[in-house]
Amino acid sequence: EVQLLESGGGLLQPGGSLRLSCVASGLRFSNYGMTWVRQAPGKGLEWVSSISASGGSTEYTDSLKGRFSISRDNSKNTVFLQMSSLRAEDTAVYYCATISGAGGDGTCYDYWGQGTLVTVSS
Amino acid sequence: DIQMTQSPSSLSASVGDRVTVTCRASQSISRNLNWYQKKPGEAPKLLIYGASNLQGWVPSRFSGSGSGTDFTLTISSLQPDDFATYYCQQSYNVPPTFGQGTKVEIK
């Protein structure tokens, strides 16, 4: 059974930094690209960042470039999201998910963690 | 960025009803369209990928169709477990973008 377990969320003040982790089990982690998606309170889903299976390629939503950094350690089946200069609008549940092919029609996010809550407030 | 617009934003329906949710892309995305089901306090679940392919756990009352800019998610006979928010998402271009969601509520 595939499981993704996020950790590292919490309450912090504006301007602070935080590193989220997502540990995967039940799959060959090094074969999967990984992504982070967030959901602010009462809002919809928003893609944050993705990293390729090898870690050699990363992508970010434009509004977060320079503040967030994604990385992975395939030896530990873990993907990370380093967040800095945090703002109140970064308050959200952050989910990690695996990226898989969509039957020749792009990609999809097929396994998801339960999420970790990040609250940025003074 | 490709904008994804879902309609309606919410709907009320009864068990047994046929429910249709539409998703429109601001430009053609071929069939690079996925649907997710989201319940409060739970992780999103992949429902349909590639516009019309059901993920393994999904009951056959769900179906997806469309290509280009217009897509549809249909639930043929709404069941109690189906009350949730549904999101479409395009994977044609970076950044991948989601629709705003359609909340399916009990009438």
Side-chain angles (χ1 to χ4, degrees), chain A residues 37 39 43-47 59 95 102-103 105-110 112-114, chain B residues 31-32 34 36 38 41-44 46 49-50 55 87 89 91 94-96 98:
Chain A
V37 173
Q39 185 175 36
K43 303 294 186 182
L45 300 173
E46 178 188 22
W47 174 76
E59 295 167 327
Y95 298 98
D105 292 311
T107 58
C108 60
Y109 307 144
D110 50 352
W112 295 69
Q114 286 300 305
Chain B
R31 292 174 56 81
N32 294 10
N34 307 311
Y36 299 86
K38 176 74 169 68
E42 297 185 9
L46 176 64
Y49 61 92
Q55 188 67 342
Y87 293 90
Q89 175 245 332
S91 65
V94 177
F98 291 87

mmCIF file of all heavy atoms in Angstrom, chain A residues 37 39 43-47 59 95 102-103 105-110 112-114, chain B residues 31-32 34 36 38 41-44 46 49-50 55 87 89 91 94-96 98:
data_model
loop_
_atom_site.group_PDB
_atom_site.id
_atom_site.type_symbol
_atom_site.label_atom_id
_atom_site.label_comp_id
_atom_site.label_asym_id
_atom_site.label_seq_id
_atom_site.Cartn_x
_atom_site.Cartn_y
_atom_site.Cartn_z
ATOM 1 N N VAL A 37 0.958 20.480 -3.381
ATOM 2 C CA VAL A 37 -0.270 21.221 -3.666
ATOM 3 C C VAL A 37 -0.777 21.748 -2.327
ATOM 4 O O VAL A 37 -0.695 21.052 -1.317
ATOM 5 C CB VAL A 37 -1.333 20.301 -4.316
ATOM 6 C CG1 VAL A 37 -2.673 21.019 -4.445
ATOM 7 C CG2 VAL A 37 -0.849 19.810 -5.677
ATOM 8 N N GLN A 39 -3.904 24.003 -0.018
ATOM 9 C CA GLN A 39 -5.282 24.474 0.056
ATOM 10 C C GLN A 39 -5.410 25.421 1.236
ATOM 11 O O GLN A 39 -5.306 25.001 2.385
ATOM 12 C CB GLN A 39 -6.266 23.312 0.201
ATOM 13 C CG GLN A 39 -7.720 23.766 0.167
ATOM 14 C CD GLN A 39 -8.709 22.624 0.183
ATOM 15 O OE1 GLN A 39 -8.499 21.604 0.831
ATOM 16 N NE2 GLN A 39 -9.816 22.802 -0.547
ATOM 17 N N LYS A 43 -10.577 27.745 0.571
ATOM 18 C CA LYS A 43 -10.212 27.973 -0.832
ATOM 19 C C LYS A 43 -10.022 26.652 -1.565
ATOM 20 O O LYS A 43 -10.144 25.570 -0.981
ATOM 21 C CB LYS A 43 -8.922 28.796 -0.911
ATOM 22 C CG LYS A 43 -8.998 30.132 -0.197
ATOM 23 C CD LYS A 43 -9.982 31.074 -0.852
ATOM 24 C CE LYS A 43 -9.941 32.454 -0.213
ATOM 25 N NZ LYS A 43 -10.939 33.371 -0.824
ATOM 26 N N GLY A 44 -9.689 26.752 -2.836
ATOM 27 C CA GLY A 44 -9.487 25.566 -3.654
ATOM 28 C C GLY A 44 -8.055 25.082 -3.631
ATOM 29 O O GLY A 44 -7.210 25.559 -2.872
ATOM 30 N N LEU A 45 -7.787 24.105 -4.483
ATOM 31 C CA LEU A 45 -6.459 23.524 -4.578
ATOM 32 C C LEU A 45 -5.558 24.398 -5.447
ATOM 33 O O LEU A 45 -5.977 24.899 -6.486
ATOM 34 C CB LEU A 45 -6.544 22.121 -5.178
ATOM 35 C CG LEU A 45 -7.397 21.114 -4.396
ATOM 36 C CD1 LEU A 45 -7.533 19.815 -5.187
ATOM 37 C CD2 LEU A 45 -6.812 20.861 -3.017
ATOM 38 N N GLU A 46 -4.308 24.533 -5.005
ATOM 39 C CA GLU A 46 -3.335 25.345 -5.738
ATOM 40 C C GLU A 46 -2.030 24.579 -5.845
ATOM 41 O O GLU A 46 -1.449 24.167 -4.836
ATOM 42 C CB GLU A 46 -3.100 26.669 -5.014
ATOM 43 C CG GLU A 46 -2.065 27.549 -5.701
ATOM 44 C CD GLU A 46 -1.676 28.776 -4.902
ATOM 45 O OE1 GLU A 46 -1.868 28.779 -3.658
ATOM 46 O OE2 GLU A 46 -1.160 29.731 -5.492
ATOM 47 N N TRP A 47 -1.561 24.393 -7.068
ATOM 48 C CA TRP A 47 -0.267 23.754 -7.277
ATOM 49 C C TRP A 47 0.849 24.673 -6.801
ATOM 50 O O TRP A 47 0.824 25.878 -7.047
ATOM 51 C CB TRP A 47 -0.074 23.438 -8.756
ATOM 52 C CG TRP A 47 1.285 22.914 -9.088
ATOM 53 C CD1 TRP A 47 1.763 21.665 -8.845
ATOM 54 C CD2 TRP A 47 2.343 23.618 -9.734
ATOM 55 N NE1 TRP A 47 3.058 21.551 -9.295
ATOM 56 C CE2 TRP A 47 3.439 22.737 -9.849
ATOM 57 C CE3 TRP A 47 2.478 24.915 -10.224
ATOM 58 C CZ2 TRP A 47 4.633 23.102 -10.445
ATOM 59 C CZ3 TRP A 47 3.674 25.284 -10.808
ATOM 60 C CH2 TRP A 47 4.743 24.382 -10.912
ATOM 61 N N GLU A 59 10.055 22.754 -10.777
ATOM 62 C CA GLU A 59 9.159 23.792 -11.285
ATOM 63 C C GLU A 59 8.423 24.404 -10.106
ATOM 64 O O GLU A 59 8.157 23.718 -9.116
ATOM 65 C CB GLU A 59 8.162 23.189 -12.286
ATOM 66 C CG GLU A 59 8.811 22.658 -13.554
ATOM 67 C CD GLU A 59 7.867 21.802 -14.384
ATOM 68 O OE1 GLU A 59 7.009 21.102 -13.794
ATOM 69 O OE2 GLU A 59 7.999 21.820 -15.617
ATOM 70 N N TYR A 95 -0.136 19.508 0.807
ATOM 71 C CA TYR A 95 -0.184 18.094 0.454
ATOM 72 C C TYR A 95 0.974 17.763 -0.484
ATOM 73 O O TYR A 95 1.265 18.525 -1.407
ATOM 74 C CB TYR A 95 -1.472 17.757 -0.290
ATOM 75 C CG TYR A 95 -2.747 17.975 0.475
ATOM 76 C CD1 TYR A 95 -3.492 19.136 0.304
ATOM 77 C CD2 TYR A 95 -3.231 16.999 1.346
ATOM 78 C CE1 TYR A 95 -4.669 19.336 1.001
ATOM 79 C CE2 TYR A 95 -4.424 17.189 2.042
ATOM 80 C CZ TYR A 95 -5.129 18.364 1.858
ATOM 81 O OH TYR A 95 -6.313 18.540 2.550
ATOM 82 N N ALA A 102 -0.800 9.929 -17.354
ATOM 83 C CA ALA A 102 -2.263 9.869 -17.440
ATOM 84 C C ALA A 102 -2.678 9.175 -18.734
ATOM 85 O O ALA A 102 -3.462 9.714 -19.514
ATOM 86 C CB ALA A 102 -2.858 11.268 -17.341
ATOM 87 N N GLY A 103 -2.112 7.995 -18.928
ATOM 88 C CA GLY A 103 -2.517 7.211 -20.089
ATOM 89 C C GLY A 103 -2.195 7.879 -21.407
ATOM 90 O O GLY A 103 -2.933 7.734 -22.375
ATOM 91 N N ASP A 105 -2.138 11.079 -21.846
ATOM 92 C CA ASP A 105 -2.757 12.409 -21.856
ATOM 93 C C ASP A 105 -2.262 13.221 -20.654
ATOM 94 O O ASP A 105 -3.022 13.545 -19.744
ATOM 95 C CB ASP A 105 -4.281 12.277 -21.826
ATOM 96 C CG ASP A 105 -4.827 11.690 -23.114
ATOM 97 O OD1 ASP A 105 -4.436 12.179 -24.199
ATOM 98 O OD2 ASP A 105 -5.628 10.741 -23.032
ATOM 99 N N GLY A 106 -0.975 13.557 -20.703
ATOM 100 C CA GLY A 106 -0.421 14.389 -19.649
ATOM 101 C C GLY A 106 -0.049 13.598 -18.411
ATOM 102 O O GLY A 106 0.336 12.429 -18.492
ATOM 103 N N THR A 107 -0.168 14.228 -17.281
ATOM 104 C CA THR A 107 0.175 13.604 -16.009
ATOM 105 C C THR A 107 -0.965 13.821 -15.020
ATOM 106 O O THR A 107 -1.867 14.632 -15.257
ATOM 107 C CB THR A 107 1.464 14.211 -15.423
ATOM 108 O OG1 THR A 107 1.287 15.629 -15.263
ATOM 109 C CG2 THR A 107 2.663 13.946 -16.318
ATOM 110 N N CYS A 108 -0.892 13.104 -13.913
ATOM 111 C CA CYS A 108 -1.908 13.249 -12.870
ATOM 112 C C CYS A 108 -1.250 12.998 -11.527
ATOM 113 O O CYS A 108 -0.122 12.502 -11.458
ATOM 114 C CB CYS A 108 -3.066 12.284 -13.093
ATOM 115 S SG CYS A 108 -2.592 10.542 -13.094
ATOM 116 N N TYR A 109 -1.951 13.359 -10.476
ATOM 117 C CA TYR A 109 -1.452 13.172 -9.117
ATOM 118 C C TYR A 109 -2.242 12.029 -8.490
ATOM 119 O O TYR A 109 -3.410 12.214 -8.135
ATOM 120 C CB TYR A 109 -1.616 14.467 -8.310
ATOM 121 C CG TYR A 109 -1.006 15.679 -8.988
ATOM 122 C CD1 TYR A 109 -1.613 16.919 -8.888
ATOM 123 C CD2 TYR A 109 0.166 15.574 -9.734
ATOM 124 C CE1 TYR A 109 -1.063 18.037 -9.500
ATOM 125 C CE2 TYR A 109 0.717 16.684 -10.355
ATOM 126 C CZ TYR A 109 0.104 17.917 -10.242
ATOM 127 O OH TYR A 109 0.635 19.019 -10.859
ATOM 128 N N ASP A 110 -1.634 10.848 -8.425
ATOM 129 C CA ASP A 110 -2.431 9.683 -8.084
ATOM 130 C C ASP A 110 -2.384 9.247 -6.628
ATOM 131 O O ASP A 110 -3.339 8.650 -6.137
ATOM 132 C CB ASP A 110 -2.096 8.498 -9.013
ATOM 133 C CG ASP A 110 -0.612 8.214 -9.125
ATOM 134 O OD1 ASP A 110 0.210 9.000 -8.618
ATOM 135 O OD2 ASP A 110 -0.271 7.180 -9.734
ATOM 136 N N TRP A 112 -1.743 10.704 -2.644
ATOM 137 C CA TRP A 112 -1.663 11.936 -1.867
ATOM 138 C C TRP A 112 -1.428 11.608 -0.393
ATOM 139 O O TRP A 112 -1.917 10.610 0.122
ATOM 140 C CB TRP A 112 -2.974 12.720 -1.954
ATOM 141 C CG TRP A 112 -3.319 13.243 -3.301
ATOM 142 C CD1 TRP A 112 -3.686 12.518 -4.403
ATOM 143 C CD2 TRP A 112 -3.352 14.618 -3.698
ATOM 144 N NE1 TRP A 112 -3.946 13.365 -5.460
ATOM 145 C CE2 TRP A 112 -3.753 14.660 -5.052
ATOM 146 C CE3 TRP A 112 -3.090 15.830 -3.049
ATOM 147 C CZ2 TRP A 112 -3.898 15.851 -5.769
ATOM 148 C CZ3 TRP A 112 -3.231 17.014 -3.746
ATOM 149 C CH2 TRP A 112 -3.622 17.032 -5.090
ATOM 150 N N GLY A 113 -0.696 12.504 0.276
ATOM 151 C CA GLY A 113 -0.607 12.437 1.717
ATOM 152 C C GLY A 113 -1.813 13.102 2.355
ATOM 153 O O GLY A 113 -2.657 13.683 1.666
ATOM 154 N N GLN A 114 -1.874 13.034 3.679
ATOM 155 C CA GLN A 114 -3.002 13.604 4.418
ATOM 156 C C GLN A 114 -2.849 15.104 4.640
ATOM 157 O O GLN A 114 -3.806 15.766 5.043
ATOM 158 C CB GLN A 114 -3.162 12.904 5.767
ATOM 159 C CG GLN A 114 -3.742 11.514 5.646
ATOM 160 C CD GLN A 114 -5.116 11.546 4.994
ATOM 161 O OE1 GLN A 114 -6.016 12.248 5.437
ATOM 162 N NE2 GLN A 114 -5.289 10.771 3.932
ATOM 163 N N ARG B 31 -6.673 16.283 -24.197
ATOM 164 C CA ARG B 31 -7.393 15.516 -23.176
ATOM 165 C C ARG B 31 -6.613 15.465 -21.874
ATOM 166 O O ARG B 31 -6.791 14.578 -21.036
ATOM 167 C CB ARG B 31 -7.652 14.096 -23.695
ATOM 168 C CG ARG B 31 -8.636 14.051 -24.845
ATOM 169 C CD ARG B 31 -8.748 12.639 -25.418
ATOM 170 N NE ARG B 31 -9.113 11.647 -24.413
ATOM 171 C CZ ARG B 31 -10.360 11.437 -23.985
ATOM 172 N NH1 ARG B 31 -11.358 12.161 -24.462
ATOM 173 N NH2 ARG B 31 -10.608 10.507 -23.086
ATOM 174 N N ASN B 32 -5.754 16.470 -21.659
ATOM 175 C CA ASN B 32 -4.897 16.497 -20.469
ATOM 176 C C ASN B 32 -5.653 17.104 -19.287
ATOM 177 O O ASN B 32 -5.300 18.150 -18.750
ATOM 178 C CB ASN B 32 -3.622 17.289 -20.769
ATOM 179 C CG ASN B 32 -2.751 16.599 -21.794
ATOM 180 O OD1 ASN B 32 -3.139 15.631 -22.436
ATOM 181 N ND2 ASN B 32 -1.547 17.113 -21.978
ATOM 182 N N ASN B 34 -7.726 16.148 -15.593
ATOM 183 C CA ASN B 34 -7.972 15.220 -14.498
ATOM 184 C C ASN B 34 -9.056 15.767 -13.584
ATOM 185 O O ASN B 34 -9.252 16.984 -13.489
ATOM 186 C CB ASN B 34 -6.690 15.009 -13.677
ATOM 187 C CG ASN B 34 -5.513 14.599 -14.530
ATOM 188 O OD1 ASN B 34 -5.609 13.685 -15.359
ATOM 189 N ND2 ASN B 34 -4.384 15.285 -14.356
ATOM 190 N N TYR B 36 -10.530 15.422 -9.506
ATOM 191 C CA TYR B 36 -10.244 14.982 -8.146
ATOM 192 C C TYR B 36 -11.480 15.177 -7.278
ATOM 193 O O TYR B 36 -12.250 16.122 -7.475
ATOM 194 C CB TYR B 36 -9.084 15.785 -7.544
ATOM 195 C CG TYR B 36 -7.794 15.626 -8.316
ATOM 196 C CD1 TYR B 36 -7.526 16.444 -9.409
ATOM 197 C CD2 TYR B 36 -6.859 14.651 -7.978
ATOM 198 C CE1 TYR B 36 -6.356 16.292 -10.148
ATOM 199 C CE2 TYR B 36 -5.691 14.495 -8.711
ATOM 200 C CZ TYR B 36 -5.455 15.315 -9.794
ATOM 201 O OH TYR B 36 -4.300 15.157 -10.517
ATOM 202 N N LYS B 38 -12.634 15.780 -3.320
ATOM 203 C CA LYS B 38 -12.055 16.268 -2.058
ATOM 204 C C LYS B 38 -13.166 16.351 -1.015
ATOM 205 O O LYS B 38 -14.202 16.993 -1.237
ATOM 206 C CB LYS B 38 -11.418 17.653 -2.279
ATOM 207 C CG LYS B 38 -10.865 18.313 -1.030
ATOM 208 C CD LYS B 38 -9.594 17.688 -0.569
ATOM 209 C CE LYS B 38 -8.894 18.498 0.522
ATOM 210 N NZ LYS B 38 -9.651 18.495 1.795
ATOM 211 N N GLY B 41 -11.231 17.571 5.485
ATOM 212 C CA GLY B 41 -10.353 16.837 6.379
ATOM 213 C C GLY B 41 -9.659 15.646 5.766
ATOM 214 O O GLY B 41 -8.914 14.938 6.453
ATOM 215 N N GLU B 42 -9.900 15.418 4.495
ATOM 216 C CA GLU B 42 -9.281 14.284 3.807
ATOM 217 C C GLU B 42 -8.385 14.776 2.679
ATOM 218 O O GLU B 42 -8.516 15.902 2.201
ATOM 219 C CB GLU B 42 -10.338 13.342 3.235
ATOM 220 C CG GLU B 42 -11.215 12.692 4.282
ATOM 221 C CD GLU B 42 -12.163 11.670 3.680
ATOM 222 O OE1 GLU B 42 -12.013 11.346 2.477
ATOM 223 O OE2 GLU B 42 -13.055 11.205 4.405
ATOM 224 N N ALA B 43 -7.484 13.902 2.235
ATOM 225 C CA ALA B 43 -6.665 14.230 1.088
ATOM 226 C C ALA B 43 -7.501 14.179 -0.180
ATOM 227 O O ALA B 43 -8.477 13.421 -0.269
ATOM 228 C CB ALA B 43 -5.511 13.234 0.976
ATOM 229 N N PRO B 44 -7.157 14.962 -1.183
ATOM 230 C CA PRO B 44 -7.812 14.799 -2.486
ATOM 231 C C PRO B 44 -7.565 13.392 -3.016
ATOM 232 O O PRO B 44 -6.545 12.766 -2.706
ATOM 233 C CB PRO B 44 -7.107 15.842 -3.364
ATOM 234 C CG PRO B 44 -6.528 16.831 -2.408
ATOM 235 C CD PRO B 44 -6.159 16.034 -1.199
ATOM 236 N N LEU B 46 -7.585 11.163 -6.699
ATOM 237 C CA LEU B 46 -7.705 11.172 -8.150
ATOM 238 C C LEU B 46 -8.917 10.339 -8.536
ATOM 239 O O LEU B 46 -9.026 9.163 -8.172
ATOM 240 C CB LEU B 46 -6.436 10.601 -8.782
ATOM 241 C CG LEU B 46 -6.445 10.459 -10.304
ATOM 242 C CD1 LEU B 46 -6.544 11.822 -10.991
ATOM 243 C CD2 LEU B 46 -5.188 9.715 -10.773
ATOM 244 N N TYR B 49 -8.536 10.445 -14.889
ATOM 245 C CA TYR B 49 -7.346 11.006 -15.535
ATOM 246 C C TYR B 49 -7.493 10.914 -17.044
ATOM 247 O O TYR B 49 -8.251 10.070 -17.557
ATOM 248 C CB TYR B 49 -6.069 10.294 -15.050
ATOM 249 C CG TYR B 49 -6.022 8.823 -15.354
ATOM 250 C CD1 TYR B 49 -5.437 8.339 -16.523
ATOM 251 C CD2 TYR B 49 -6.568 7.890 -14.470
ATOM 252 C CE1 TYR B 49 -5.395 6.997 -16.807
ATOM 253 C CE2 TYR B 49 -6.533 6.538 -14.738
ATOM 254 C CZ TYR B 49 -5.948 6.085 -15.909
ATOM 255 O OH TYR B 49 -5.914 4.751 -16.194
ATOM 256 N N GLY B 50 -6.775 11.774 -17.735
ATOM 257 C CA GLY B 50 -6.862 11.771 -19.190
ATOM 258 C C GLY B 50 -8.285 11.949 -19.693
ATOM 259 O O GLY B 50 -8.685 11.324 -20.671
ATOM 260 N N GLN B 55 -9.957 6.095 -12.264
ATOM 261 C CA GLN B 55 -8.973 5.506 -11.378
ATOM 262 C C GLN B 55 -9.565 4.225 -10.791
ATOM 263 O O GLN B 55 -10.789 4.044 -10.767
ATOM 264 C CB GLN B 55 -8.619 6.510 -10.274
ATOM 265 C CG GLN B 55 -7.477 6.145 -9.370
ATOM 266 C CD GLN B 55 -6.112 6.100 -10.027
ATOM 267 O OE1 GLN B 55 -6.014 6.013 -11.253
ATOM 268 N NE2 GLN B 55 -5.061 6.155 -9.230
ATOM 269 N N TYR B 87 -12.782 18.855 -8.276
ATOM 270 C CA TYR B 87 -11.890 19.799 -8.940
ATOM 271 C C TYR B 87 -11.404 19.209 -10.266
ATOM 272 O O TYR B 87 -10.995 18.043 -10.316
ATOM 273 C CB TYR B 87 -10.655 20.075 -8.081
ATOM 274 C CG TYR B 87 -10.923 20.814 -6.797
ATOM 275 C CD1 TYR B 87 -11.204 20.138 -5.618
ATOM 276 C CD2 TYR B 87 -10.877 22.216 -6.768
ATOM 277 C CE1 TYR B 87 -11.441 20.822 -4.429
ATOM 278 C CE2 TYR B 87 -11.108 22.907 -5.588
ATOM 279 C CZ TYR B 87 -11.392 22.212 -4.431
ATOM 280 O OH TYR B 87 -11.626 22.895 -3.263
ATOM 281 N N GLN B 89 -8.409 19.659 -13.237
ATOM 282 C CA GLN B 89 -7.023 20.126 -13.261
ATOM 283 C C GLN B 89 -6.423 19.819 -14.621
ATOM 284 O O GLN B 89 -6.571 18.705 -15.128
ATOM 285 C CB GLN B 89 -6.203 19.428 -12.173
ATOM 286 C CG GLN B 89 -4.710 19.753 -12.168
ATOM 287 C CD GLN B 89 -3.847 18.550 -12.492
ATOM 288 O OE1 GLN B 89 -4.219 17.401 -12.227
ATOM 289 N NE2 GLN B 89 -2.679 18.783 -13.080
ATOM 290 N N SER B 91 -3.117 19.367 -17.103
ATOM 291 C CA SER B 91 -1.683 19.058 -17.054
ATOM 292 C C SER B 91 -1.038 19.333 -18.414
ATOM 293 O O SER B 91 0.049 18.838 -18.712
ATOM 294 C CB SER B 91 -1.468 17.594 -16.657
ATOM 295 O OG SER B 91 -1.974 16.720 -17.651
ATOM 296 N N VAL B 94 2.641 24.011 -17.924
ATOM 297 C CA VAL B 94 3.078 24.457 -16.607
ATOM 298 C C VAL B 94 2.773 25.960 -16.502
ATOM 299 O O VAL B 94 3.104 26.701 -17.435
ATOM 300 C CB VAL B 94 4.591 24.221 -16.399
ATOM 301 C CG1 VAL B 94 5.040 24.766 -15.039
ATOM 302 C CG2 VAL B 94 4.898 22.729 -16.491
ATOM 303 N N PRO B 95 2.147 26.444 -15.442
ATOM 304 C CA PRO B 95 1.816 25.683 -14.244
ATOM 305 C C PRO B 95 0.549 24.862 -14.421
ATOM 306 O O PRO B 95 -0.402 25.326 -15.078
ATOM 307 C CB PRO B 95 1.595 26.775 -13.196
ATOM 308 C CG PRO B 95 1.050 27.922 -13.988
ATOM 309 C CD PRO B 95 1.766 27.874 -15.299
ATOM 310 N N PRO B 96 0.506 23.664 -13.838
ATOM 311 C CA PRO B 96 -0.761 22.942 -13.813
ATOM 312 C C PRO B 96 -1.750 23.751 -12.989
ATOM 313 O O PRO B 96 -1.393 24.323 -11.952
ATOM 314 C CB PRO B 96 -0.404 21.625 -13.106
ATOM 315 C CG PRO B 96 0.862 21.886 -12.385
ATOM 316 C CD PRO B 96 1.577 22.979 -13.111
ATOM 317 N N PHE B 98 -5.861 24.238 -11.419
ATOM 318 C CA PHE B 98 -7.108 23.626 -10.986
ATOM 319 C C PHE B 98 -8.278 24.570 -11.244
ATOM 320 O O PHE B 98 -8.121 25.801 -11.219
ATOM 321 C CB PHE B 98 -7.067 23.335 -9.483
ATOM 322 C CG PHE B 98 -6.114 22.248 -9.070
ATOM 323 C CD1 PHE B 98 -4.783 22.533 -8.795
ATOM 324 C CD2 PHE B 98 -6.552 20.932 -8.944
ATOM 325 C CE1 PHE B 98 -3.902 21.533 -8.398
ATOM 326 C CE2 PHE B 98 -5.678 19.925 -8.550
ATOM 327 C CZ PHE B 98 -4.351 20.229 -8.277
#
